[in-house]
Amino acid sequence: MNWQPSASIEALRLRAQANAAIRAFFGARGVLEVETPILSQAGNTDPNIASFSLEFSGRTDGASRTRWLRTSPEFALKRLLAAGIGDCYELGRVFRDGEAGGRHNPEFTMLEWYRIDRDHLRLADETVELVQALLALVGRQASVARIAYRELYRETLGIDPMAAGIDALRAAFGDIAIDPQGLTHDDWLDLLMTHRIQPRFPPNQLLVVHDYPASQCALARVVERDGVQVAERFELYLGALELANGYHELLDAVEQRSRFERDLAVRGSRGAESPRIDEGLLSALEHGMPACAGVAMGVDRLLMAMLGTQKIADVLAFDFPRG
């Protein structure tokens, strides 16, 4: 085994600077840093995310022995919000099974924060402010733009993503060959984003894409705009690189349970493992969580952009093969 770090000492120093800058940013705004469990009794039901699990051998006092390594601190942070903690954030490690390669590592650093009485658009503005502050550490500044998801597809590809059928979406790929087997309408939209739209983003631009199709709501509220249902969420890109994903958070426990159950049905149809639904989160929503918006940002991805590298190993002390 190569015992040496995968990142340079200079990159590790930059990571420490970035962590300090993040804490200073939130400290100046009165946002409280918290720590929540890495091991959870419930896993992530998202069909596109795989979780690690383990069996605890000690005393459980009746709790489940099966524990899941968190893929995000989201559910625990929302329980704190329901308990009245107010604006808060967590900077820590998260884990995703099956994600290893040049730009992915099974464990990585996520920054997630929540702001009371804000919607996704106001939170997007704050996310841009934070990224600009971090880019300044390497003497860099980016331009800023904002566009609705629907308008982005209309302007870039000349199609309405909310109305176009699968045949129209397939035609928009032009000479790019895509295997259609098993692909849904949302899969086609996602592939158009990654293959046709993202590569066109200016390299030194922060772009906020907001108000996604309702079918891609995840944990966001759904509202009607211009005659269509949209999910109040945003994604932030630096050039073609996705950095952050934020929501105007869903507060309805019944609707949240329904979405979890839909996720599990999809996982079952794919033969994937089905983790336990997070009953703690649902109980917190039933108790009442304040109106808020939340966002998760991949710190490693931002560090990669700051250093101008395509390899996540370049920003990790020890990447997966050396861990």
Side-chain angles (χ1 to χ4, degrees):
M1 176 184 287
N2 187 345
W3 64 268
Q4 294 180 324
S6 48
S8 67
I9 300 302
E10 291 74 19
L12 298 180
R13 288 187 175 131
L14 179 61
R15 178 183 284 274
Q17 286 181 293
N19 288 347
I22 288 168
R23 291 186 165 100
F25 181 91
F26 288 118
R29 289 161 176 76
V31 182
L32 182 69
E33 182 175 9
V34 299
E35 291 184 339
T36 61
I38 288 175
L39 293 175
S40 173
Q41 295 187 60
N44 192 332
T45 63
D46 188 322
N48 299 312
I49 296 177
S51 304
F52 289 102
S53 63
L54 56 84
E55 294 296 314
F56 181 65
S57 63
R59 176 177 171 177
T60 66
D61 291 326
S64 173
R65 291 191 179 280
T66 302
R67 298 288 161 138
W68 303 83
L69 288 173
R70 67 182 184 184
T71 59
S72 158
E74 177 174 7
F75 296 169
L77 291 176
K78 287 181 173 178
R79 288 166 65 182
L80 290 177
L81 290 168
I85 203 165
D87 294 337
C88 61
Y89 77 96
E90 184 164 3
L91 176 63
R93 303 296 265 186
V94 297
F95 306 84
R96 298 191 179 182
D97 195 6
E99 298 188 13
R103 299 177 65 178
H104 296 88
N105 204 66
E107 60 174 304
F108 57 98
T109 300
M110 180 178 286
L111 169 66
E112 187 155 336
W113 75 98
Y114 291 83
R115 294 291 236 150
I116 306 299
D117 291 329
R118 295 196 186 191
D119 65 10
H120 58 307
L121 299 181
R122 283 189 65 196
L123 188 60
D125 291 340
E126 183 171 64
T127 308
V128 167
E129 290 178 33
L130 174 59
V131 173
Q132 292 281 40
L134 294 173
L135 290 175
L137 296 176
V138 292
R140 185 175 170 188
Q141 187 173 20
S143 62
V144 181
R146 191 160 87 178
I147 189 170
Y149 183 98
R150 192 179 195 184
E151 292 309 309
L152 176 64
Y153 280 72
R154 282 172 165 169
E155 291 184 9
T156 308
L157 302 177
I159 59 173
D160 183 347
M162 311 302 198
I166 286 180
D167 288 343
L169 299 182
R170 291 182 65 177
F173 280 92
D175 59 0
I176 299 176
I178 299 292
D179 181 359
Q181 185 65 35
L183 296 182
T184 66
H185 190 270
D186 281 328
D187 292 331
W188 285 106
L189 289 175
D190 289 345
L191 288 168
L192 282 172
M193 177 67 84
T194 56
H195 287 67
R196 292 293 314 277
I197 298 176
Q198 280 177 239
R200 303 185 188 190
F201 292 163
N204 203 39
Q205 175 184 269
L206 284 168
L207 176 65
V208 175
V209 181
H210 61 90
D211 293 343
Y212 279 62
S215 55
Q216 300 180 29
C217 58
L219 280 78
R221 302 186 191 201
V222 173
V223 299
E224 183 172 318
R225 288 210 179 93
D226 300 323
V228 297
Q229 297 285 305
V230 300
E232 291 192 309
R233 53 176 290 205
F234 74 89
E235 292 188 3
L236 176 65
Y237 293 85
L238 176 58
L241 186 67
E242 180 194 339
L243 294 179
N245 191 357
Y247 307 125
H248 194 189
E249 300 293 345
L250 178 67
L251 304 179
D252 186 330
V254 174
E255 171 62 20
Q256 185 60 75
R257 183 181 293 277
S258 176
R259 293 185 190 182
F260 283 157
E261 290 173 347
R262 285 200 299 270
D263 285 348
L264 293 179
V266 173
R267 295 180 76 93
S269 70
R270 297 177 180 176
E273 187 176 19
S274 294
R276 290 178 59 178
I277 287 175
D278 196 319
E279 296 292 344
L281 171 63
L282 295 176
S283 294
L285 292 178
E286 288 171 359
H287 168 80
M289 188 174 78
C292 63
V295 60
M297 187 170 76
V299 174
D300 308 274
R301 284 193 177 187
L302 181 53
L303 287 167
M304 289 166 64
M306 293 165 70
L307 289 173
T309 180
Q310 296 295 311
K311 297 192 301 180
I312 195 170
D314 290 342
V315 301
L316 298 171
F318 300 100
D319 64 350
F320 189 53
R322 304 187 197 209

